Amino acid sequence: MTITIDQTQIAHEEEKKMAPVEAGELVLDGGFAVPSQRKASVEEFYRLNHTHQTFDFVKRMREEYGKLDRVEMSVWECCELLNEFVDESDPDLDEPQIEHLLQTAEAIRKDYPTRTGSTSPASSTVNLGKVLLHPSFGQLPQWAVVGDTFPVGCAFDQSNVHYKRQPEYSTKLGVYAEGCGLNNVMMSWGHDDYMYLVAKKNKTTLPSAGLFIIRYHSFYPLHKSGAYSFLMNEEDKENLKWLHVFNKYDLYSKSKVRIDVESVKPYYLSLIEKYFPAKLKW
């Protein structure tokens, strides 16, 4: 299959990324410059994130939230919960998460109107794990829900955004074996890994690439810099191709064009029904 991306739009975004960075700005993965007035809060966010995201912390979160014993609700009900949140780690987005979720999904749908394979269904559910910010889910702090993700249990790569972390593990492989497969790697805890657990344990029929997109869409050190590729197996390498496709839409679909949620809702309900049960355990 030939993958077509809007090159004009991407070129425009690349020009923005290459523009001189103003004094006091912080540049994050994806090339987005954080305005000086937000620099301190973003730096503090990643200081907390890199300090507290330890191997033991992730193991504890996976055990606790992997029980899926908090609530039963549909995928769309979860989408509506996201109206209450704005991702503080995202310097390019000040709108509720459901807006960006549908912007990305609609951009993919526009280019692939007849395809409902890996990217389309994943794009409509990829950020649902951000319900971890909700009181019903423990109201976790933002550093435990959003932001770029990275493997724990091995050396901290310098390609990680705002690299200042003191390494918990000093060796390249740490507790892992080369080529072990990302499915066997503990990633920093957040909405990506949580939604992956929700989808998998609720027996989604999403293909492997769809689950890969959900779990690793914030893993910028890998899909931007190629870091940690020594942990990948052959299936990971194939799925990474689809993550690169998704990520271009995820980065370049953020816009001020509002989505008429009610008009697109029937399409996404039918897509969700194809890949997920009516009610999921969360």
Side-chain angles (χ1 to χ4, degrees), residues 184-247:
N184 296 307
V185 172
M186 297 266 275
M187 298 295 297
S188 56
W189 177 251
H191 71 280
D192 313 61
D193 205 21
Y194 177 56
M195 188 59 208
Y196 168 78
L197 292 176
V198 169
K200 192 170 183 180
K201 292 192 175 187
N202 280 282
K203 302 188 184 305
T204 177
T205 56
L206 280 173
S208 172
L211 287 169
F212 191 91
I213 289 170
I214 288 173
R215 192 178 190 216
Y216 304 110
H217 69 276
S218 300
F219 189 9
Y220 281 92
L222 172 66
H223 53 75
K224 179 177 180 289
S225 304
Y228 302 104
S229 58
F230 54 85
L231 296 171
M232 299 171 68
N233 59 24
E234 291 305 312
E235 184 178 17
D236 294 329
K237 294 174 184 177
E238 185 63 31
N239 286 337
L240 183 60
K241 299 174 185 177
W242 286 106
L243 179 54
H244 281 143
V245 174
F246 168 82
N247 189 247

Side-chain angles (χ1 to χ4, degrees), residues 79-102:
C79 289
E80 292 176 334
L81 276 181
L82 294 184
N83 272 323
E84 303 177 22
F85 306 114
V86 170
D87 183 346
E88 291 178 1
S89 73
D90 193 333
D92 200 50
L93 190 66
D94 290 318
E95 298 171 352
Q97 287 299 309
I98 194 170
E99 292 280 342
H100 174 46
L101 181 151
L102 292 176

